[in-house]
Amino acid sequence: LAMLGDSAAQRGLAGRVRALEADLDDGLPAELSGPYDVLLCLWFRWPPLGDLAAELLRPGGLVVASVLSSVGREAVAPGEGGGPDPRFLAAPGELVARLAGFEVLHHEEGGGEAAIVARRPATGAG
């Protein structure tokens, strides 16, 4: 995040780029009011992702998400060989379903991971 801030400042974009680190287990930070051009959610399965992306992104804005997935992952109980808690694994197609109404630009699932890049519609509800 510090590198992002430095890079934005070097490009004269300091006033337009804001990087915020937040633990979403604690809920959405109050200072997030939007609208934003990009919402990035990495390694956190966040059930309200679609609703909040529709609320926080400006029309045409992008959501980029990458999470652990059950797709292509061996079933290993938590604590047995380091398997993640199943509550943290996205189900097949979950990211696409959570972003219903968004234009999916990229989506992949496999090897225990799922990723998506989707655009909020330029008009109408997302």
Side-chain angles (χ1 to χ4, degrees), residues 45-60:
R45 182 175 176 240
W46 196 28
L49 176 64
D51 293 337
L52 291 171
E55 176 185 329
L56 293 174
L57 286 173
R58 72 179 71 249

Side-chain angles (χ1 to χ4, degrees), residues 17-111:
V17 173
R18 186 171 135 208
L20 175 66
E21 179 180 352
D23 184 343
L24 297 177
D25 278 331
D26 298 330
L28 194 64
E31 61 267 28
L32 283 181
S33 60
Y36 296 102
D37 294 314
V38 178
L39 175 62
L40 181 65
C41 185
L42 300 176
W43 300 108
F44 187 80
R45 182 175 176 240
W46 196 28
L49 176 64
D51 293 337
L52 291 171
E55 176 185 329
L56 293 174
L57 286 173
R58 72 179 71 249
L62 297 175
V63 59
V64 179
S66 177
V67 297
L68 294 176
S69 171
S70 62
V71 177
R73 179 177 293 276
E74 278 187 48
V76 179
E80 292 181 18
D85 187 319
R87 294 176 299 159
F88 303 130
L89 301 178
E94 180 175 324
L95 291 177
V96 171
R98 293 207 184 279
L99 293 163
F102 279 58
E103 175 190 3
V104 176
L105 304 174
H106 174 79
H107 174 248
E108 61 183 70
E109 294 180 290

